[in-house]
C-alpha cells in the first residue's frame, strides 16, 4: 500500500515536470531578516498610508500594496537576492527579483527588480 502511494507521487512529479509545470521552490528567509521593518524609525504601524511597514516571513514579504512570494535565494556578502512572484494592489502577479541588503542588525535596504510599477532604487527600513 505504501509503495503504491510513493509510486503515485513519483508519477505526478514526473508528469508535472514533463508538462512544464515545475514545482515551486520556496525560500527560507534567514531568521535575522524576519519580522517588521519601518521606513520611519519609531513608527511601526501604518498611519493613513504614510508609513510603509515591511513584513518579512519565512517565505514572503509585504509592504503597502505589494506582496511577494519568495523563491530561490543567492547570498553575496551582505546582500540576499531572491526570485520572487510579486503583485501590487489588484495587478497580475509578475516574476522578478527581491534584493535585501543588511547594513546593521537593525537596518536593511529593499530593492525590487523587474517590476514596472516600482522604481529600482533602494528603500531603507529599520527594525520595529
Amino acid at each position: 500500500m505504501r509503495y503504491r502511494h510513493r509510486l503515485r507521487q513519483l508519477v505526478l512529479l514526473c508528469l508535472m515536470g514533463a508538462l512544464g509545470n515545475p514545482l515551486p521552490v520556496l525560500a527560507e528567509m534567514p531568521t535575522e531578516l524576519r519580522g517588521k521593518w519601518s521606513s520611519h524609525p519609531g513608527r511601526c504601524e501604518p498611519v493613513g498610508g504614510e508609513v510603509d511597514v515591511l513584513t518579512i516571513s519565512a517565505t514572503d514579504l509585504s509592504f503597502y500594496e505589494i506582496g511577494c512570494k519568495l523563491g530561490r535565494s543567492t547570498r553575496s556578502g551582505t546582500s540576499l537576492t531572491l526570485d520572487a512572484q510579486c503583485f501590487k494592489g489588484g495587478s497580475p502577479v509578475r516574476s522578478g527579483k527581491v534584493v535585501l541588503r543588511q547594513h546593521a542588525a537593525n537596518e536593511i535596504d529593499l530593492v525590487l527588480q523587474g517590476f514596472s510599477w516600482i522604481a529600482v532604487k533602494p528603500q531603507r527600513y529599520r527594525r520595529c
Side-chain angles (χ1 to χ4, degrees):
M1 189 67 134
R2 179 178 236 174
Y3 174 76
R4 266 191 267 181
H5 177 69
R6 295 263 186 215
L7 184 59
R8 283 186 200 141
Q9 286 180 328
L10 181 61
V11 169
L12 179 62
L13 291 173
C14 290
L15 283 173
M16 290 179 74
L19 295 174
N21 187 9
L23 294 174
V25 176
L26 297 179
E28 183 65 26
M29 183 64 68
T31 306
E32 68 269 13
L33 296 175
R34 295 182 200 174
K36 282 190 172 186
W37 302 79
S38 175
S39 59
H40 292 81
R43 291 177 57 196
C44 289
E45 295 301 323
V47 179
E50 290 180 30
V51 176
D52 282 338
V53 176
L54 170 64
T55 304
I56 301 176
S57 76
T59 59
D60 59 22
L61 65 80
S62 62
F63 65 100
Y64 193 51
E65 296 179 334
I66 296 173
C68 298
K69 290 285 183 197
L70 305 172
R72 291 186 189 185
S73 64
T74 307
R75 189 176 282 276
S76 175
T78 60
S79 293
L80 181 66
T81 303
L82 301 112
D83 293 338
Q85 298 286 319
C86 301
F87 66 91
K88 179 176 181 176
S91 71
V93 174
R94 304 239 189 265
S95 296
K97 301 281 184 189
V98 168
V99 180
L100 295 167
R101 183 170 169 236
Q102 192 164 13
H103 294 281
N106 65 345
E107 191 173 87
I108 60 173
D109 281 348
L110 167 70
V111 176
L112 299 182
Q113 299 173 341
F115 304 100
S116 61
W117 33 258
I118 192 165
V120 181
K121 65 178 190 171
Q123 296 173 321
R124 178 83 30 111
Y125 289 90
R126 291 217 162 104
R127 183 168 299 281
C128 290

